[in-house]
Amino acid sequence: LQRRGCLMAGPLVYFGRGRRIDVYNFTAADLPPTEMAAGQARLHRFGGAGIPGRGMTVAQHAFNLSHVVGDCPDRQRAALIHDAPEMFTGEVPRPIKSVCPDFVAVDDRIMLRLGEVFGVPAWAFEAIKEADTRIASDERLFMFDDLDPEDEQRCRERQLGITITPVTETVAANAWLRRFYQLFGEPTHV
């Protein structure tokens, strides 16, 4: 297969305002930060589960994570874009992903491409995994009030202890976008 001069074409999916892009061969121009922010802000963590008014978007999660992974810019950048593949696949809960190796392979391939396009080394995505797991514990304790006792105990043991505030999708998108420009630089206008 060949499409747009690429030897290994990937699936074409709708993105942003309706453009279709190849999820294995996109460029930075294919992913305007404003559309990345909006796309992640429309996705809700844990498949949309949670107490009404205490949900959390993927954009808010990534924004928060980018602030707890330390001072290394590569880790902060990785944290901010680590769930961007979900703009194409939807927010699939980790237990579902764990039984779908083909889905995980697609997700990993998109992540590899994101790293190439935005200059984030692969090691940085690996380096944030523990913080990502731990912040998910904080999120579960915030979002749910009916966890089984074992799950609640596990979350309490792993949590980072951050304060989470409910925000609208618009606020989440704007916060993510501001953070993107802090970490990756402001857009240049020619």
Side-chain angles (χ1 to χ4, degrees), residues 19-133:
R19 283 177 295 106
R20 287 174 34 132
I21 65 171
D22 180 331
V23 297
Y24 293 163
N25 298 294
F26 53 83
T27 66
D30 292 324
L31 302 178
T34 53
E35 291 180 16
M36 291 177 69
Q40 291 178 83
R42 286 191 295 268
L43 296 170
H44 291 264
R45 297 275 290 154
F46 302 102
I51 298 167
R54 290 199 339 227
M56 174 169 284
T57 70
V58 171
Q60 183 180 5
H61 160 75
F63 172 85
N64 289 344
L65 184 61
S66 76
H67 285 283
V68 300
V69 293
D71 295 332
C72 173
D74 284 330
R75 287 181 188 202
Q76 291 171 347
R77 290 180 190 115
L80 191 68
I81 66 170
H82 81 285
D83 278 338
E86 294 177 3
M87 296 180 304
F88 309 121
T89 64
E91 204 289 323
V92 178
R94 190 174 291 175
I96 303 296
K97 286 182 182 179
S98 71
V99 296
C100 301
D102 291 340
F103 184 86
V104 172
V106 168
D107 196 60
D108 288 348
R109 184 142 179 209
I110 296 169
M111 183 63 63
L112 178 65
R113 184 65 187 152
L114 281 164
E116 291 169 352
V117 166
F118 291 107
V120 178
W123 66 261
F125 293 108
E126 287 298 317
I128 65 163
K129 284 186 175 184
E130 181 181 344
D132 190 27
T133 298

Side-chain angles (χ1 to χ4, degrees), residues 45-46 56 61 64-65 68-70 82 94 127-142 151-164:
R45 297 275 290 154
F46 302 102
M56 174 169 284
H61 160 75
N64 289 344
L65 184 61
V68 300
V69 293
H82 81 285
R94 190 174 291 175
I128 65 163
K129 284 186 175 184
E130 181 181 344
D132 190 27
T133 298
R134 292 189 64 200
I135 203 168
S137 293
D138 292 84
E139 294 166 352
R140 284 195 295 275
L141 291 168
F142 169 74
D151 191 23
E152 183 174 353
Q153 179 61 32
R154 229 179 355 264
C155 287
R156 293 203 183 286
E157 290 169 0
R158 288 193 240 172
Q159 71 179 336
L160 294 171
I162 65 169
T163 300
I164 298 174

